[in-house]
Amino acid sequence: MTERGDAPPAERLERLRNSLMGTSTRMRAERFATQGHTNVLIGVSLHAADRLRQGKAVSDLERWLLDVLRAALPEQEIKDWGRVYREAVQALGERVAVVPPAVSGRPVGTGFALTDLGLVLPAVGQEHAALPNTSIVDREATAAGKNVDSPSFVQALPSYGFGATVFQRPRRVTSAAHDTADPSQLGAERATAPTFRVKLELESFRCRRAVGDQGGGKDEIYWASSTGSDKQSGVGFISQEFGKMKVNETDTFDVSRRTVFEGQASEGLVLSLSCWEADQSPPAWARALQTALTEMSDRIFSHWGWTLAGMLPGGYTEMLVGLAAEIAGMFAWVVSHVRNEDDLSCARVILLDRYDLALMARGKFAPGTSTAMATTC
């Protein structure tokens, strides 16, 4: 499982232990510390690893997160991660540095299900929406020519190592029943949206931050992605390598190697992007991890996410950006424990519903905006 450039298992466990105990000195480690509700997916994955170790029956959400970990770690090491997590909880209680109290305070005999995730998502979304590495974009303003990414968002991405973007959902007139309904029950009230075909391509990118050469190897970068719709599972993509990029320089994706998604959609899709320094060969496990996270997010959105995106007002946009940030953050967090974190320049998740896709298809975004949005890291 360990590839050239990856940390050995003992070092990975030590990184995890330091992270949970709040003693890590690694770059970006402090960005994963939580005082509230964020990092819920990271926490549930560790809780699930401990439950797996102790022979407990896992919930659907826990099983999906274990599948994500299996993309990067062997089964025994996942159980070891669960053991290290339990040791940290026993030492620190709910003060575990990375895991929110909603998870760390839960006994090993109690699973964490999708319904539990739904209960904490409003708070998770509010906290992520207040951070500089998330953006909620006014798509009507964008269609009129406004840039997708604000300067503060672009500046925050390298320090956090991950980011998330959603487009502001239009406020709709809803009944009191809608405002108080269980999200999982709303899908039955909505007519099935028509299916359409989507082809999403990366065209070009502009370098905002020259990454330099961290390891004495190749001074090049490459892009990886996984994109999945509500009708089709995540599909992995790896770009050609781009060498010696300078600040404000633009480069173009090869015409034969730029399609990140081509398939069916009905409600929307999840685009997960990451930019890597090419000091080593592209890690197959990292692409598998990205695809596994996209497939997991598809399952979550199929449960109630896309319905909320189209039907409910206000705070549910924050909930969606919270979900996107949780997905991007878990990817960056796992990579930071398994591989040299300097190799991952940035990860980003973008949610696009059918209306966003229609605007892009009809050229309603400002020229170059959709490409800049998809490739700023």
Side-chain angles (χ1 to χ4, degrees):
M1 172 63 65
T2 302
E3 297 183 18
R4 185 177 58 152
D6 294 348
E11 183 178 337
R12 298 197 289 237
L13 281 175
E14 189 61 22
R15 288 180 182 180
L16 175 64
R17 183 176 290 105
N18 290 336
S19 178
L20 294 173
M21 299 298 289
T23 58
S24 177
T25 58
R26 307 188 75 229
M27 185 180 70
R28 296 171 175 167
E30 74 279 2
R31 297 301 188 184
F32 289 104
T34 181
Q35 301 298 322
H37 298 83
T38 59
N39 300 337
V40 63
L41 291 186
I42 292 172
V44 176
S45 68
L46 291 170
H47 186 69
D50 186 37
R51 283 167 56 74
L52 176 70
R53 177 179 71 94
Q54 300 198 41
K56 307 295 184 182
V58 297
S59 69
D60 285 348
L61 178 61
E62 290 171 337
R63 185 177 70 254
W64 300 342
L65 286 163
L66 288 172
D67 287 343
V68 170
L69 293 181
R70 288 184 179 107
L73 299 169
E75 195 81 358
Q76 182 55 51
E77 192 170 345
I78 291 173
K79 295 177 181 179
D80 289 340
W81 280 37
R83 173 180 55 79
V84 168
Y85 164 69
R86 184 54 53 191
E87 291 170 354
V89 171
Q90 290 170 345
L92 299 177
E94 294 184 2
R95 294 182 292 108
V96 173
V98 174
V99 180
V103 182
S104 61
R106 189 166 297 236
V108 69
T110 304
F112 199 100
L114 272 169
T115 52
D116 299 308
L117 179 62
L119 291 175
V120 300
L121 267 182
V124 170
Q126 288 177 4
E127 290 180 21
H128 275 298
L131 296 175
N133 65 320
T134 62
S135 62
I136 298 174
V137 180
D138 184 338
R139 56 185 169 191
E140 305 298 342
T142 302
K146 183 180 178 180
N147 288 334
V148 171
D149 292 331
S150 68
S152 60
F153 175 75
V154 172
Q155 185 176 6
L157 287 178
S159 60
Y160 278 82
F162 69 96
T165 296
V166 302
F167 288 85
Q168 181 72 50
R169 270 56 195 169
R171 297 189 66 87
R172 300 171 186 266
V173 177
T174 58
S175 67
H178 272 126
D179 291 337
T180 59
D182 179 349
S184 65
Q185 303 302 313
L186 291 173
E189 301 179 19
R190 186 180 187 184
T192 302
T195 298
F196 52 91
R197 187 164 187 81
V198 178
K199 184 175 184 180
L200 191 62
E201 295 183 331
L202 302 180
E203 182 180 288
S204 62
F205 68 94
R206 180 161 61 94
C207 177
R208 295 180 181 267
R209 177 177 60 97
V211 296
D213 186 16
Q214 301 291 337
K218 298 180 292 184
D219 186 17
E220 297 179 337
I221 63 167
Y222 64 90
W223 296 86
S225 81
S226 179
T227 312
S229 76
D230 60 313
K231 296 293 184 182
Q232 190 166 317
S233 296
V235 177
F237 165 86
I238 185 75
S239 76
Q240 79 266 31
E241 293 183 355
F242 301 90
K244 301 185 183 301
M245 295 298 301
K246 297 181 175 61
V247 175
N248 292 324
E249 185 178 43
T250 298
D251 211 334
T252 303
F253 290 88
D254 193 292
V255 292
S256 64
R257 201 173 177 179
R258 60 173 52 174
T259 301
V260 294
F261 182 82
E262 185 170 10
Q264 300 295 317
S266 176
E267 298 288 356
L269 56 80
V270 179
L271 170 62
S272 174
L273 278 166
S274 58
C275 181
W276 296 77
E277 294 182 39
D279 290 329
Q280 307 288 350
S281 300
W285 64 261
R287 300 200 301 276
L289 173 67
Q290 200 161 28
T291 298
L293 272 167
T294 301
E295 291 174 349
M296 181 204 69
S297 62
D298 286 341
R299 295 185 183 110
I300 292 175
F301 282 108
S302 294
H303 184 68
W304 32 249
W306 292 116
T307 300
L308 290 177
M311 290 185 67
L312 296 180
Y316 287 97
T317 300
E318 285 73 25
M319 188 197 75
L320 292 175
V321 82
L323 265 178
E326 286 287 319
I327 294 164
M330 184 169 177
F331 176 78
W333 183 79
V334 173
V335 169
S336 74
H337 288 79
V338 177
R339 188 175 175 87
N340 179 1
E341 64 184 345
D342 289 339
D343 288 348
L344 177 61
S345 176
C346 186
R348 185 174 181 181
V349 169
I350 302 168
L351 303 185
L352 298 165
D353 71 10
R354 53 185 175 172
Y355 184 44
D356 304 326
L357 293 168
L359 286 176
M360 293 177 72
R362 288 165 174 76
K364 295 299 184 181
F365 287 145
T369 304
S370 58
T371 301
M373 171 196 70
T375 56
T376 298
C377 255

